[in-house]
């Protein structure tokens, strides 16, 4: 009996030691805990059991924050010998730097359905796909100015958005090639025979602005935390290197995450 107080003290110490790491694990990770681990390229997740519903205010909107698009697989369209086209899986050699976010978006009622619009944030990132034959396909993974629509009046696990977005140039208009050419520098061509410059399209540097399409599927919704998650598939062109090459059609599949803003 005289050892009971000592045993109680030892038990309390053991419980505190095991409980501390559990509490620490729930705390936000610091920069040093994330650096060089690849965790910055991973979108947050929502429990698979979350099958709730978030209503859209009548005449109002939902503001989303921490929106995240994480590419998981990149495929490049190629033409086979028989003329048919198919998507070939490419290795994303910049997988730890291609995730888009944080992004801000809004969901509003429109034409009897819903409209999702990206309004701010990191909406494009350069990345490169490596084909099985070692060919490199540069592209700018983008959701810039995404506007997508869906049926229904609330966000739930059956909500599917579809829409279009802009794909800016892989190189900005101020980019200079080894000959010093750029699309907005006043020196955008370099040919020996000026009369023949129109016959060589690759000699003229142009701005790249194209469009892409995206399908976004919501699979999990947690009304208690305002979180939602799902998957996406987007199709967009690759870089033309300011008009120097023909673009490839690229299909990107990945994961999506968002949560309601506190002031929503």
């Amino acid at each position: 009996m005289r050892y009971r107080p000592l045993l109680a003290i030892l038990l309390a110490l053991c419980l505190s030691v095991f409980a501390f790491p559990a509490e620490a694990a729930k705390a936000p990770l610091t920069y040093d805990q994330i650096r060089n681990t690849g965790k910055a390229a991973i979108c947050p997740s929502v429990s698979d059991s979350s099958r709730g519903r978030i209503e859209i205010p009548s005449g109002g909107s939902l503001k989303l924050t921490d929106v995240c698009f994480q590419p998981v697989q990149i495929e490049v369209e190629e033409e086979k010998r028989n003329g048919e086209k198919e998507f070939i899986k490419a290795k994303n050699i910049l997988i730890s730097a291609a995730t888009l976010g944080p992004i801000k978006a809004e969901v509003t009622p429109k034409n009897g359905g819903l409209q999702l619009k990206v309004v701010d944030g990191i909406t494009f990132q350069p990345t490169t796909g490596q084909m099985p034959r070692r060919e490199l396909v540069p592209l700018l993974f983008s959701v810039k100015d995404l506007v997508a629509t869906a049926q229904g009046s609330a966000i739930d696990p059956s909500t599917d958005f579809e829409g279009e977005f802009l794909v800016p140039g892989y190189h900005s208009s101020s980019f200079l090639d080894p000959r010093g050419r750029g699309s907005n520098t006043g020196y955008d061509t370099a040919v020996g025979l000026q009369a023949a410059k129109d016959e060589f399209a690759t000699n003229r540097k142009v701005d790249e602005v194209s469009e892409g399409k995206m399908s976004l599927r919501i699979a999990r919704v947690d009304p208690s935390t305002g979180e939602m998650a799902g998957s996406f598939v987007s199709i967009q062109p690759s870089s033309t290197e300011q008009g120097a090459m023909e673009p490839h059609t690229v299909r990107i599949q990945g994961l999506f995450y968002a949560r309601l803003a506190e002031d929503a």
Side-chain angles (χ1 to χ4, degrees):
M1 298 296 291
R2 58 182 178 179
Y3 296 108
R4 183 173 296 178
L6 181 59
L7 291 174
I9 293 174
L10 290 175
L11 180 60
L13 288 174
C14 291
L15 290 175
S16 63
V17 169
F18 285 106
F20 178 75
E23 292 297 326
K26 297 180 181 179
L29 297 178
T30 65
Y31 172 77
D32 290 332
Q33 291 173 321
I34 295 176
R35 182 169 60 94
N36 294 331
T37 64
K39 294 179 180 179
I42 300 176
C43 291
S45 60
V46 179
S47 173
D48 291 337
S49 61
S50 299
R51 293 291 187 270
R53 179 184 177 94
I54 298 179
E55 297 287 342
I56 309 298
S58 178
S61 65
L62 288 181
K63 294 183 179 180
L64 304 180
T65 187
D66 292 339
V67 181
C68 179
F69 292 87
Q70 177 188 339
V72 175
Q73 181 171 298
I74 293 179
E75 298 171 305
V76 180
E77 188 179 55
E78 280 196 343
E79 184 174 343
K80 298 189 294 185
R81 291 182 179 180
N82 59 5
E84 296 181 355
K85 295 182 179 180
E86 65 176 350
F87 283 98
I88 305 298
K89 185 177 179 180
K91 178 182 178 181
N92 186 358
I93 63 176
L94 296 176
I95 188 68
S96 296
T99 296
L100 301 181
I103 295 172
K104 294 182 179 180
E106 289 184 353
V107 180
T108 56
K110 187 172 183 180
N111 299 330
L114 301 177
Q115 177 179 274
L116 170 68
K117 184 177 182 180
V118 169
V119 297
D120 194 12
I122 301 175
T123 57
F124 52 85
Q125 289 276 27
T127 187
T128 302
Q130 186 179 52
M131 301 297 290
R133 296 188 302 274
R134 301 296 180 181
E135 177 189 358
L136 297 179
V137 180
L139 64 130
L140 197 76
F141 173 42
S142 173
V143 295
K144 182 177 176 63
D145 296 338
L146 171 65
V147 178
T149 58
Q151 299 296 323
S153 59
I155 298 178
D156 56 40
S158 64
T159 302
D160 296 330
F161 287 98
E162 291 189 359
E164 298 180 347
F165 56 89
L166 292 180
V167 184
Y170 184 84
H171 295 302
S172 71
S173 57
S174 299
F175 175 80
L176 300 179
D177 72 353
R179 305 180 81 173
R181 293 173 294 180
S183 59
N184 73 344
T185 60
Y187 177 57
D188 57 4
T189 60
V191 293
L193 296 175
Q194 195 67 18
K197 73 174 186 177
D198 294 334
E199 298 181 11
F200 301 93
T202 59
N203 278 325
R204 185 174 182 84
K205 300 303 176 184
V206 297
D207 285 335
E208 300 176 79
V209 179
S210 52
E211 293 184 348
K213 296 182 179 180
M214 174 176 287
S215 297
L216 176 62
R217 180 176 180 272
I218 305 299
R220 297 175 297 278
V221 178
D222 189 345
S224 63
T225 61
E227 294 177 297
M228 62 192 73
S231 59
F232 72 89
V233 177
S234 68
I235 296 180
Q236 65 169 78
S238 66
S239 171
T240 67
E241 293 293 332
Q242 293 187 311
M245 62 176 66
E246 290 294 326
H248 294 275
T249 300
V250 181
R251 182 168 64 189
I252 304 172
Q253 302 180 51
L255 304 176
F256 165 80
Y257 170 86
R259 67 178 179 86
L260 296 182
E262 295 182 355
D263 57 346

